[in-house]
Amino acid sequence: MSDSVTIEVRRYRPEQESEPCWESFEVPFRREWMVLDALNYIKDHLDGTLSYRWSCRMGVCGSCGMLVNGEPLLTCATYLEGLMPGPIRVEPLNGFPVVRDLIGDLGDFLEKLERVKPWIVREEERDVSEGEYLQTPEQLAAYKSYAMCINCMLCYSACPIYELEPHFIGPAVIALAQRYNFDSRDEGVEERMDVISQQDGIWSCTFVGECSTVCPKNVDPAGAIQRYKVRATADFMKSMVMPWAKR
Amino acid sequence: MDTSAYDILVVGGGGAGLRAAIAVAEAHPQLRVAVLSKVYPMRSHTVSAEGGAAAVIKSVDSLEAHAYDTISGGDWLCDQDAVEAFVDEAPAEMLRLEHWGCPWSREPDGHVAVRPFGGMKNQRTWFAADKTGFHLLHALFQTSLKYESIVRYDEWFVTKLLVDDGVCGGVVAIELGTGKVAHFLAKAVILATGGAGKIYPFTTNAAIKTGDGMSLAYHAGVALKDMEFVQYHPTGLPFTGILITEAARAEGGWLLNKDGYRYLQDYDLGEPTPEPVLRSMELGPRDRLSQAFVKEREQGRTIETEHGDVVYLDIRHLGKKKIDAKIPFVRELCLKYQSLDPVERMIPVRPVVHYMMGGVHTDLAGATPLPGLYAAGEVACVSINGANRLGSNSLTELLVFGARAGAAAAEYALERGNPPAKLRAGARDEERRLRRKFLEKTDGNERVADLRTEMQATMEAGAGIYRDRAGLEATAEKLGELQDRIGDIAPDDRSLTFNTELISWLELCCMLDVAESVIGSGLARRESRGAHQRTDHPQRDDESYLAHSLAYRSNGNGARIEYLPVTVTRWPPGERVYGR
Amino acid sequence: MGQALNPDHTPYHPKWYRRRIPIFWWLSKRGYVKFITRELTSPFVVYAVLLLLVQVGALARGQPAYQRVEDWLGRGPVVAWHAFVLAALVFHSVTWLNLAPSALVLRLRGARVPDGVIRAAHFGAWAACSAMLGWLLLGRV
């Protein structure tokens, strides 16, 4: 294996240019390095102006998502070795406006997340003196995978609909809504339906399925969305056939 | 320049910060709370915590037992009134999180499950598989979205506390995305910015753990307490420093030296048994386990690798089923970052800097001596952790003291009038300082990354697991030199838009402050206690040092150290006994 | 302040960049190509239904009309065309049935029913229906 690799980075400095451009850097190759280590090397030793987000470097904070050779990946969890001989292209995720270099603004996701009420909704809340809500391991398993979302936004980058239809609330938001819908302690399915079961919600999704393919935590947002479609359709049928059954 | 008027500012959006904000919003929805965080809240380092959070729920357990374990684990440097309050409020806080959706792992009958943990006599560590911090943070963050009165300022970096006439009344902060400098005036400020593991080269901590809040308080004249106590977690992966949770040992993992021998039995930690025994062997306190590693290395019984000396953590005997059920993240991390499957092979591990027991000096309510300023979480030192923290106490600490600080700050804010307008003059001064010293700097010879590397190297050399006067003094001198050189940095990036080099530079300034307080406190404490081990003063000295060190900033001459006696209520200082 | 060489830039108000989505965005990834192909085969389902209606309609109009349709169906180019249509239909059906486990999550005795079982059930049902129709239509000739 050679002892260096070329990293091509998509730069964007709004004070200097109106369009992004490519810049190449030669970085040492080390077997144990991730793409993130290469970026840190560039920033520390070659060009301090390279801007990107990172934090935990262990695949749990969700900061370091970028496009590497066109694929949305966590750069802290992607070995250089698997991408050799290079050059390796690093760009910001698709779907988000680029603020600077490899940094996109996630405000749209956060605004949409709030809309689906991602918290436990209950008619009557229990006091702590009454102890915990009982929840068997089976009940926990029903929503556990949707609770593993680290908000890394790789699914939003992979979803062509999100970029083509800016009002689509997106895979992670729906997966997180389902996380609460399937939580036995929650009673908010009805409240969330108004936001999710409409054009900007699940009905924009055409089941491309790339979101689940790229998800580093096996959340399966595509599955969450399709299950919701089944449920929303079933609910609609029920309300047509048995309108009196509505609670 | 912008100005915004909130009642309460929370600096830091991790577990403690979000809990404090929610505490205010629930009790006093009319108070406006702003949470300023230099990262999106779900990126806060709380997210990396794995093992669990301790609170007494089993009937065989008792608050006294939890308190005793904590106090003895802290080598009697804990304030016992604080510990009593902490263990008392812990169960309610954890239940509150459960009600807010935290997916705690369960018994078959649906009750919350608990697991054994290091230094604890009874099983009392609540857990969410082995991603407890992740689930806790996301539950808190998503719950915080419920409250209209909580407004977030994501990716804003606070550079200074505004203080007038001895009262704290706001902050100055930079908006990362635009470079705009704004001041926020408020009736109370709560620091929840976390610890400072990045002053060391090898740490479990994320890039963002740079001691920003500690530095803010330090510059405002507030003491940093017990800074010499830096926890080394016994089991980090060799190259990355990634944490392998204590839960792996709690479930039954063994630590083996190069002869395949469970070496902890040689260090007064008990007799090896096939099943884990609480407060014994691998479930001893972290400081003793890390010290044992160093001793083994001195005897040549550790394994040499290209990334330093290691010992092995063996969990193969737990079996795939148990590993996938109880510690799946450990397996994931080993497969990804160490290219091995712990079901089949032993995990190479070594001690790694993990937690700062010390921090901003606060009382039981989270109030600092500076009126209007509060602190909670790792940034603060109450102190409940003393000289060594027990695993799974820190996530609980975020909740208990986050809530306390929020409540105290709210009470204070309700009494106070609006902060005085003349704080704005301080804000303008700060903006001028940032401009002159950082944004408009053109000349210089140094790079941020180089100075940071040098700082980390000297801290590891002089303030590691074992210290002595010569090493500490050498490091003190080096830090002094770095303080001079930091004024000579030539920035590559002079942009306003998301200038991460500028933020790294500001963080380095914070880290040098923290490092200075660690060394100053370490030099002054001429005894060995918990995580502070002096080879030139190897005994614990309760007569002179049953007290907290308070490090005050003294304008470029290293920290000025004073002492504050430890509060002892029911447990007079005794011997720390593990394994017998 | 800052190296502001771009005349469009206003200090403290950076211009966010949004890329123009290329027309052939769907050629960039295998997953996208599969998706677009799957979508493009949907009209063939409509065509197949219409073809069936034409046959039924001809049947209703009597033997000579039906014979004309049969003759047309037997012509070389038409057979080739319908082979292509069949391929598209099979592709569409297979990709659709493969996705069934995503929408149908069943739990049995505490564990989740494996995706393979759900798929097998769907394909099995397809095969069973086809076998039954085959027997009805061809078995009685």
Side-chain angles (χ1 to χ4, degrees):
Chain A
M1 200 61 74
S2 81
D3 47 346
S4 78
V5 61
T6 307
I7 311 283
E8 289 174 4
V9 184
R10 195 91 165 122
R11 305 297 307 267
Y12 176 59
R13 290 148 291 202
E15 281 128 313
Q16 289 175 256
E17 54 221 1
S18 356
E19 296 266 318
C21 61
W22 291 102
E23 191 170 348
S24 283
F25 298 95
E26 273 313 294
V27 157
F29 170 78
R30 284 175 67 181
R31 269 192 65 238
E32 59 270 9
W33 274 16
M34 301 290 184
V35 174
L36 179 63
D37 294 308
L39 293 176
N40 281 338
Y41 179 86
I42 296 171
K43 187 171 182 73
D44 288 348
H45 300 110
L46 302 178
D47 183 350
T49 69
L50 179 61
S51 290
Y52 49 96
R53 293 194 184 105
W54 70 290
S55 183
C56 73
R57 58 90 173 83
M58 57 193 269
V60 72
C61 73
S63 307
C64 67
M66 298 174 212
L67 289 184
V68 177
N69 290 347
E71 282 296 317
L73 297 166
L74 295 180
T75 50
C76 73
T78 306
Y79 281 104
L80 286 176
E81 190 169 30
L83 300 164
M84 291 302 271
I88 301 174
R89 275 187 352 229
V90 183
E91 304 164 78
L93 291 177
N94 286 332
F96 298 101
V98 183
V99 180
R100 163 86 192 262
D101 289 341
L102 300 165
I103 296 169
D105 184 84
L106 304 186
D108 187 52
F109 162 71
L110 290 167
E111 189 271 318
K112 288 170 175 166
L113 179 63
E114 268 193 63
R115 284 195 236 159
V116 299
K117 306 202 178 167
W119 52 77
I120 297 287
V121 172
R122 284 185 72 88
E123 188 116 14
E124 255 187 66
E125 302 220 358
R126 206 185 264 207
D127 185 68
V128 289
S129 57
E130 300 174 74
E132 69 264 50
Y133 296 112
L134 292 184
Q135 183 172 79
T136 63
E138 287 76 39
Q139 288 175 314
L140 176 57
Y143 68 92
K144 191 68 187 295
S145 69
Y146 302 137
M148 302 301 269
C149 174
I150 61 175
N151 302 6
C152 63
M153 303 291 101
L154 300 191
C155 56
Y156 281 72
S157 183
C159 175
I161 306 298
Y162 181 66
E163 208 178 355
L164 291 165
E165 308 272 317
H167 294 297
F168 178 38
I169 61 178
V173 164
I174 301 176
L176 285 166
Q178 287 284 61
R179 173 254 180 275
Y180 284 97
N181 285 340
F182 285 114
D183 190 328
S184 56
R185 303 167 286 188
D186 176 80
E187 292 167 357
V189 176
E190 300 281 325
E191 283 189 51
R192 294 189 192 100
M193 202 165 272
D194 290 332
V195 177
I196 307 176
S197 184
Q198 44 149 308
Q199 186 49 39
D200 292 340
I202 50 175
W203 303 114
S204 281
C205 170
T206 54
F207 206 166
V208 178
E210 279 297 297
C211 54
S212 291
T213 309
V214 302
C215 177
K217 299 291 160 186
N218 298 318
V219 173
D220 191 15
I225 299 174
Q226 307 324 308
R227 288 173 78 186
Y228 205 96
K229 285 182 187 171
V230 170
R231 195 214 171 106
T233 313
D235 271 14
F236 176 73
M237 297 297 183
K238 258 203 305 209
S239 70
M240 289 284 107
V241 173
M242 303 188 297
W244 59 86
K246 193 113 173 121
R247 263 185 285 132
Chain B
M1 192 157 78
D2 272 330
T3 182
S4 312
Y6 289 89
D7 297 301
I8 297 183
L9 299 175
V10 179
V11 183
L18 291 171
R19 182 67 189 91
I22 294 174
V24 176
E26 289 226 301
H28 306 280
Q30 76 278 24
L31 291 177
R32 285 157 309 158
V33 183
V35 177
L36 288 88
S37 169
K38 68 178 179 181
V39 291
Y40 290 118
M42 56 282 196
R43 317 301 187 209
S44 304
H45 196 52
T46 309
V47 83
S48 306
E50 298 173 23
V56 173
I57 48 165
K58 292 281 184 242
S59 53
V60 295
D61 200 2
S62 69
L63 298 176
E64 283 74 26
H66 189 183
Y68 178 75
D69 285 338
T70 302
I71 291 164
S72 58
D75 216 348
W76 269 277
L77 201 70
C78 315
D79 289 311
Q80 296 180 11
D81 53 347
V83 175
E84 290 184 275
F86 166 71
V87 302
D88 189 58
E89 286 166 26
E93 280 301 317
M94 306 293 280
L95 283 169
R96 209 161 274 129
L97 253 299
E98 193 275 326
H99 289 182
W100 289 341
C102 189
W104 298 114
S105 292
R106 304 279 179 159
E107 305 277 344
D109 64 0
H111 283 103
V112 169
V114 284
R115 59 155 53 125
F117 229 67
M120 305 267 189
K121 192 61 190 167
N122 290 307
Q123 295 194 33
R124 59 176 78 100
T125 297
W126 301 40
F127 61 106
D130 54 351
K131 279 177 126 164
T132 311
F134 163 78
H135 286 294
L136 203 92
L137 181 65
H138 280 253
L140 279 170
F141 172 62
Q142 285 157 16
T143 303
S144 76
L145 298 175
K146 258 197 313 198
Y147 303 96
E148 306 252 325
S149 61
I150 300 178
V151 176
R152 278 196 347 264
Y153 286 79
D154 294 333
E155 301 191 314
W156 283 72
F157 186 92
V158 173
T159 65
K160 193 178 166 74
L161 294 174
L162 292 171
V163 179
D164 174 65
D165 213 15
V167 177
C168 181
V171 304
V172 178
I174 300 178
E175 185 180 19
L176 265 62
T178 62
K180 207 161 50 179
V181 177
H183 62 263
F184 294 78
L185 299 185
K187 299 168 185 170
V189 176
I190 307 175
L191 296 173
T193 53
K198 290 306 274 187
I199 63 176
Y200 286 86
F202 190 61
T203 172
T204 61
N205 285 191
I208 58 176
K209 296 289 288 295
T210 50
D212 308 337
M214 294 175 179
S215 171
L216 288 173
Y218 197 56
H219 278 261
V222 178
L224 296 180
K225 194 160 82 187
D226 292 342
M227 292 303 288
E228 63 272 45
F229 298 100
V230 176
Q231 182 170 81
Y232 277 75
H233 192 286
T235 56
L237 291 178
F239 170 64
T240 51
I242 286 174
L243 176 68
I244 297 297
T245 176
E246 192 157 284
R249 286 174 278 133
E251 296 298 335
W254 300 330
L255 283 171
L256 308 173
N257 67 10
K258 78 168 192 230
D259 304 317
Y261 175 68
R262 281 172 76 183
Y263 58 92
L264 294 176
Q265 59 189 287
D266 294 343
Y267 296 94
D268 196 18
L269 283 163
E271 292 302 313
T273 55
E275 293 294 310
V277 172
L278 293 158
R279 279 185 74 117
S280 160
M281 290 296 288
E282 283 83 1
L283 285 183
R286 292 171 177 181
D287 55 342
R288 296 274 295 273
L289 264 63
S290 299
Q291 289 151 21
F293 172 90
V294 176
K295 297 275 184 244
E296 285 292 294
R297 188 173 58 194
E298 282 168 9
Q299 321 267 12
R301 292 200 286 259
T302 51
I303 301 99
E304 274 183 45
T305 71
E306 54 174 332
H307 299 299
D309 288 312
V310 300
V311 288
Y312 285 128
L313 174 62
D314 190 0
I315 59 172
R316 295 172 299 178
H317 53 284
L318 300 182
K320 182 168 179 296
K321 201 147 162 270
K322 190 170 189 188
I323 292 174
D324 283 340
K326 292 291 190 64
I327 42 175
F329 195 38
V330 168
R331 186 160 184 226
E332 226 182 279
L333 289 170
C334 290
L335 283 166
K336 180 95 231 172
Y337 292 95
Q338 203 65 33
S339 305
L340 63 83
D341 190 346
V343 169
E344 280 151 30
R345 291 176 51 198
M346 299 190 288
I347 312 169
V349 292
R350 52 178 269 217
V352 56
V353 170
H354 182 59
Y355 182 83
M356 310 284 294
M357 268 69 76
V360 178
H361 171 39
T362 73
D363 64 11
L364 273 72
T368 68
L370 180 61
L373 184 66
Y374 298 79
E378 196 180 347
V379 73
C381 181
V382 187
S383 155
I384 58 152
N385 296 311
N388 171 64
R389 176 173 74 75
L390 292 187
S392 74
N393 265 350
S394 117
L395 286 178
T396 314
E397 181 185 7
L398 301 180
L399 301 174
V400 171
F401 290 99
R404 283 186 150 233
E411 291 292 319
Y412 179 84
L414 287 168
E415 309 282 295
R416 252 192 99 180
N418 283 321
K422 57 188 163 95
L423 285 168
R424 292 180 216 274
R428 280 194 291 275
D429 287 341
E430 174 66 2
E431 197 195 353
R432 264 194 294 273
R433 180 188 80 97
L434 287 170
R435 205 177 283 287
R436 231 180 351 102
K437 290 191 71 182
F438 298 93
L439 293 166
E440 283 167 4
K441 193 153 192 310
T442 43
D443 58 342
N445 298 303
E446 305 278 4
R447 291 183 67 88
V448 175
D450 296 337
L451 293 186
R452 187 174 61 222
T453 308
E454 287 184 46
M455 170 194 67
Q456 290 168 340
T458 192
M459 286 303 289
E460 186 64 36
I465 298 177
Y466 284 99
R467 304 141 172 197
D468 63 17
R469 197 179 103 189
L472 287 164
E473 284 179 344
T475 298
E477 211 184 296
K478 179 71 178 172
L479 289 176
E481 177 205 315
L482 292 171
Q483 284 278 20
D484 290 331
R485 286 164 64 194
I486 202 171
D488 194 31
I489 285 181
D492 285 349
D493 193 353
R494 292 171 51 236
S495 143
L496 288 172
T497 316
F498 225 110
N499 185 338
T500 49
E501 192 191 38
L502 168 65
I503 301 305
S504 302
W505 191 357
L506 292 168
E507 286 170 343
L508 181 60
C509 295
C510 296
M511 287 197 277
L512 283 176
D513 288 332
V514 173
E516 170 184 291
S517 65
V518 171
I519 299 301
S521 308
L523 268 169
R525 183 176 291 272
R526 289 187 282 279
E527 65 151 0
S528 288
R529 182 188 298 263
H532 173 70
Q533 294 289 315
R534 293 271 307 249
T535 53
D536 48 355
H537 297 279
Q539 300 305 324
R540 191 175 98 188
D541 180 1
D542 287 341
E543 254 191 59
S544 313
Y545 290 107
L546 192 63
H548 303 290
S549 49
L550 297 173
Y552 289 92
R553 185 165 179 268
S554 71
N555 251 331
N557 289 328
R560 184 186 92 241
I561 310 296
E562 290 177 11
Y563 283 94
L564 179 70
V566 168
T567 308
V568 174
T569 56
R570 290 161 56 184
W571 294 273
E575 195 197 344
R576 287 169 90 202
V577 175
Y578 293 98
R580 50 184 165 92
Chain C
M1 208 304 56
Q3 304 117 312
L5 305 171
N6 182 5
D8 287 336
H9 176 261
T10 315
Y12 308 111
H13 297 277
K15 196 141 161 279
W16 289 352
Y17 174 76
R18 277 170 227 263
R19 71 164 187 160
R20 233 200 315 263
I21 304 162
I23 294 188
F24 290 107
W25 62 266
W26 51 276
L27 285 175
S28 62
K29 258 176 129 181
R30 216 172 127 250
Y32 295 154
V33 176
K34 264 177 68 181
F35 161 71
I36 291 289
T37 316
R38 189 188 86 207
E39 298 292 288
L40 290 176
T41 56
S42 323
F44 294 100
V45 178
V46 177
Y47 175 84
V49 172
L50 291 175
L51 185 61
L52 183 64
L53 289 174
V54 163
Q55 287 181 281
V56 170
L59 204 58
R61 288 199 300 278
Q63 183 59 18
Y66 190 68
Q67 192 56 48
R68 277 201 299 279
V69 172
E70 289 280 293
D71 290 338
W72 178 74
L73 283 175
R75 284 165 55 191
V78 179
V79 171
W81 163 243
H82 284 153
F84 177 74
V85 171
L86 180 63
L89 284 181
V90 169
F91 180 85
H92 192 93
S93 310
V94 167
T95 49
W96 251 117
L97 292 182
N98 271 331
L99 295 174
S102 282
L104 203 62
V105 174
L106 296 174
R107 304 198 84 88
L108 221 58
R109 280 194 299 258
R112 187 173 152 159
V113 175
D115 288 0
V117 171
I118 307 232
R119 260 188 212 114
H122 280 75
F123 278 100
W126 184 21
C129 286
S130 302
M132 199 167 70
L133 278 171
W135 176 75
L136 275 173
L137 297 172
L138 305 168
R140 282 135 123 253
V141 159

